[in-house]
Amino acid sequence: MSITVTNITKTFGTQKALNNVSFSIKKGEIVGFLGPNGAGKSTMMKILTTYSRADDGEAAVNTFDVVDQKNEVQKCIGYLPEHNPLYLDMYVKEYLHFNASVYGVPKDQIALVIDKTGLSPEAHKKIGQLSKGYRQRVGLAAALLHDPEVLILDEPTTGLDPNQLLEIRKLILDIGKQKTILLSTHIMKEVEAVCDRVIIINKGELVADKKLTELRTSGEQIIEVEFDYRVEEALLQKLPHVTKVTNIGGFVYEIQFSTDQDMRPAVFDFAHDNELKTLQLSRKNRNLESLFTELTS
């Protein structure tokens, strides 16, 4: 395993930021690490990167313990924190030279990471002159300098415009062909585009650990229907395979079913039998956003 977390607990004052959290990540996986603000994601990432220490439990990266073998852990991790700490007055190459000297890696590695992260057109500029997308590339380049086996990325696409977001997404996918990546983000489409699996935490506790392929073939569906009159939710609950009914406003209802069978005809027949008109009727596939909302709302 590239990352192993066992019963990690961390408390700040009276607030329990992480409560008995356990998971593992295999070599070569790209895993989305999700949760609302304040759920404990950054705290877990700081523990894994040795910047913070858990109150209880154990964690290891490439079998190295994050407490007893800090130096070994730091050698095999590349970390891009949420607030990318760059020296804006330094030139790109100058900044990477500085980081290379800190890591003690050969200077020829600088050219390799500049090429890998697509920084070549901007490498002669000061970091303060770069767009947000290219500054993120500089942060990734610094994280890759020592050729780590594991990358931990905290909100790497925050504040990027759509074009920059696509560029960073492609870069993460390319890097993920060779490395293990733990990626924190609030952008669900980003996770669905690049990740193999998702881990969701809420209020410091692990609430889901699923492969995206399992999510896409979960045998569940959501029907959104708008009637011309209000309906008692208890009546909709009597439809076959119903697991949940939610009135999302006005006469619009979201009905969850635990079946692959298209349930729109059943909802249409329900409306007909109860002398209702269906103003709209659509099927939604279960996606990451609906799972996230269900588990963290």
Side-chain angles (χ1 to χ4, degrees), residues 116-127:
K116 179 177 287 188
T117 55
L119 274 171
S120 298
E122 307 292 314
H124 63 288
K125 292 183 180 180
K126 283 188 175 182
I127 294 172

PDB file of all heavy atoms in Angstrom, residues 116-127:
ATOM      1  N   LYS A 116       7.742  18.409 -17.949  1.00  0.00           N
ATOM      2  CA  LYS A 116       6.610  17.561 -17.571  1.00  0.00           C
ATOM      3  C   LYS A 116       5.383  18.383 -17.214  1.00  0.00           C
ATOM      4  O   LYS A 116       4.241  17.992 -17.512  1.00  0.00           O
ATOM      5  CB  LYS A 116       7.007  16.668 -16.387  1.00  0.00           C
ATOM      6  CG  LYS A 116       5.888  15.756 -15.906  1.00  0.00           C
ATOM      7  CD  LYS A 116       6.354  14.837 -14.784  1.00  0.00           C
ATOM      8  CE  LYS A 116       7.262  13.744 -15.276  1.00  0.00           C
ATOM      9  NZ  LYS A 116       7.581  12.740 -14.241  1.00  0.00           N
ATOM     10  N   THR A 117       5.575  19.553 -16.577  1.00  0.00           N
ATOM     11  CA  THR A 117       4.451  20.376 -16.136  1.00  0.00           C
ATOM     12  C   THR A 117       4.074  21.457 -17.149  1.00  0.00           C
ATOM     13  O   THR A 117       3.192  22.287 -16.865  1.00  0.00           O
ATOM     14  CB  THR A 117       4.761  21.046 -14.780  1.00  0.00           C
ATOM     15  OG1 THR A 117       5.985  21.791 -14.891  1.00  0.00           O
ATOM     16  CG2 THR A 117       4.890  20.010 -13.683  1.00  0.00           C
ATOM     17  N   GLY A 118       4.702  21.464 -18.312  1.00  0.00           N
ATOM     18  CA  GLY A 118       4.347  22.424 -19.355  1.00  0.00           C
ATOM     19  C   GLY A 118       4.712  23.857 -19.021  1.00  0.00           C
ATOM     20  O   GLY A 118       4.056  24.800 -19.477  1.00  0.00           O
ATOM     21  N   LEU A 119       5.783  24.045 -18.254  1.00  0.00           N
ATOM     22  CA  LEU A 119       6.200  25.388 -17.829  1.00  0.00           C
ATOM     23  C   LEU A 119       7.162  26.067 -18.795  1.00  0.00           C
ATOM     24  O   LEU A 119       7.481  27.243 -18.607  1.00  0.00           O
ATOM     25  CB  LEU A 119       6.863  25.309 -16.440  1.00  0.00           C
ATOM     26  CG  LEU A 119       5.938  25.368 -15.225  1.00  0.00           C
ATOM     27  CD1 LEU A 119       6.717  25.048 -13.964  1.00  0.00           C
ATOM     28  CD2 LEU A 119       5.290  26.743 -15.106  1.00  0.00           C
ATOM     29  N   SER A 120       7.615  25.370 -19.802  1.00  0.00           N
ATOM     30  CA  SER A 120       8.669  25.898 -20.683  1.00  0.00           C
ATOM     31  C   SER A 120       8.381  27.300 -21.217  1.00  0.00           C
ATOM     32  O   SER A 120       9.281  28.163 -21.197  1.00  0.00           O
ATOM     33  CB  SER A 120       8.919  24.928 -21.847  1.00  0.00           C
ATOM     34  OG  SER A 120       9.371  23.684 -21.349  1.00  0.00           O
ATOM     35  N   PRO A 121       7.141  27.600 -21.697  1.00  0.00           N
ATOM     36  CA  PRO A 121       6.899  28.940 -22.253  1.00  0.00           C
ATOM     37  C   PRO A 121       7.007  30.070 -21.217  1.00  0.00           C
ATOM     38  O   PRO A 121       7.208  31.227 -21.589  1.00  0.00           O
ATOM     39  CB  PRO A 121       5.454  28.850 -22.782  1.00  0.00           C
ATOM     40  CG  PRO A 121       5.163  27.405 -22.909  1.00  0.00           C
ATOM     41  CD  PRO A 121       5.956  26.739 -21.833  1.00  0.00           C
ATOM     42  N   GLU A 122       6.878  29.747 -19.922  1.00  0.00           N
ATOM     43  CA  GLU A 122       6.872  30.780 -18.885  1.00  0.00           C
ATOM     44  C   GLU A 122       8.077  30.679 -17.946  1.00  0.00           C
ATOM     45  O   GLU A 122       8.155  31.424 -16.971  1.00  0.00           O
ATOM     46  CB  GLU A 122       5.588  30.647 -18.045  1.00  0.00           C
ATOM     47  CG  GLU A 122       4.296  30.624 -18.852  1.00  0.00           C
ATOM     48  CD  GLU A 122       4.015  31.967 -19.518  1.00  0.00           C
ATOM     49  OE1 GLU A 122       4.149  32.997 -18.839  1.00  0.00           O
ATOM     50  OE2 GLU A 122       3.678  31.975 -20.719  1.00  0.00           O
ATOM     51  N   ALA A 123       8.991  29.779 -18.227  1.00  0.00           N
ATOM     52  CA  ALA A 123      10.077  29.489 -17.286  1.00  0.00           C
ATOM     53  C   ALA A 123      11.027  30.658 -17.073  1.00  0.00           C
ATOM     54  O   ALA A 123      11.736  30.722 -16.070  1.00  0.00           O
ATOM     55  CB  ALA A 123      10.863  28.259 -17.756  1.00  0.00           C
ATOM     56  N   HIS A 124      11.035  31.633 -18.001  1.00  0.00           N
ATOM     57  CA  HIS A 124      11.950  32.780 -17.901  1.00  0.00           C
ATOM     58  C   HIS A 124      11.332  33.933 -17.105  1.00  0.00           C
ATOM     59  O   HIS A 124      11.990  34.941 -16.859  1.00  0.00           O
ATOM     60  CB  HIS A 124      12.298  33.278 -19.297  1.00  0.00           C
ATOM     61  CG  HIS A 124      11.121  33.784 -20.069  1.00  0.00           C
ATOM     62  ND1 HIS A 124      10.164  32.934 -20.579  1.00  0.00           N
ATOM     63  CD2 HIS A 124      10.723  35.049 -20.379  1.00  0.00           C
ATOM     64  CE1 HIS A 124       9.222  33.649 -21.186  1.00  0.00           C
ATOM     65  NE2 HIS A 124       9.539  34.928 -21.072  1.00  0.00           N
ATOM     66  N   LYS A 125      10.063  33.787 -16.687  1.00  0.00           N
ATOM     67  CA  LYS A 125       9.353  34.881 -16.022  1.00  0.00           C
ATOM     68  C   LYS A 125       9.436  34.788 -14.498  1.00  0.00           C
ATOM     69  O   LYS A 125       9.717  33.731 -13.937  1.00  0.00           O
ATOM     70  CB  LYS A 125       7.876  34.871 -16.426  1.00  0.00           C
ATOM     71  CG  LYS A 125       7.614  35.224 -17.874  1.00  0.00           C
ATOM     72  CD  LYS A 125       6.105  35.262 -18.136  1.00  0.00           C
ATOM     73  CE  LYS A 125       5.805  35.621 -19.585  1.00  0.00           C
ATOM     74  NZ  LYS A 125       4.339  35.648 -19.847  1.00  0.00           N
ATOM     75  N   LYS A 126       9.137  35.928 -13.850  1.00  0.00           N
ATOM     76  CA  LYS A 126       8.965  35.904 -12.404  1.00  0.00           C
ATOM     77  C   LYS A 126       7.613  35.240 -12.077  1.00  0.00           C
ATOM     78  O   LYS A 126       6.657  35.387 -12.829  1.00  0.00           O
ATOM     79  CB  LYS A 126       8.987  37.327 -11.828  1.00  0.00           C
ATOM     80  CG  LYS A 126      10.386  37.930 -11.737  1.00  0.00           C
ATOM     81  CD  LYS A 126      10.347  39.242 -10.980  1.00  0.00           C
ATOM     82  CE  LYS A 126      11.768  39.778 -10.776  1.00  0.00           C
ATOM     83  NZ  LYS A 126      11.786  41.046  -9.990  1.00  0.00           N
ATOM     84  N   ILE A 127       7.564  34.549 -10.946  1.00  0.00           N
ATOM     85  CA  ILE A 127       6.343  33.835 -10.571  1.00  0.00           C
ATOM     86  C   ILE A 127       5.169  34.809 -10.423  1.00  0.00           C
ATOM     87  O   ILE A 127       4.032  34.491 -10.772  1.00  0.00           O
ATOM     88  CB  ILE A 127       6.565  33.038  -9.272  1.00  0.00           C
ATOM     89  CG1 ILE A 127       7.593  31.920  -9.518  1.00  0.00           C
ATOM     90  CG2 ILE A 127       5.263  32.435  -8.749  1.00  0.00           C
ATOM     91  CD1 ILE A 127       8.040  31.196  -8.268  1.00  0.00           C
TER      92      ILE A 127
END
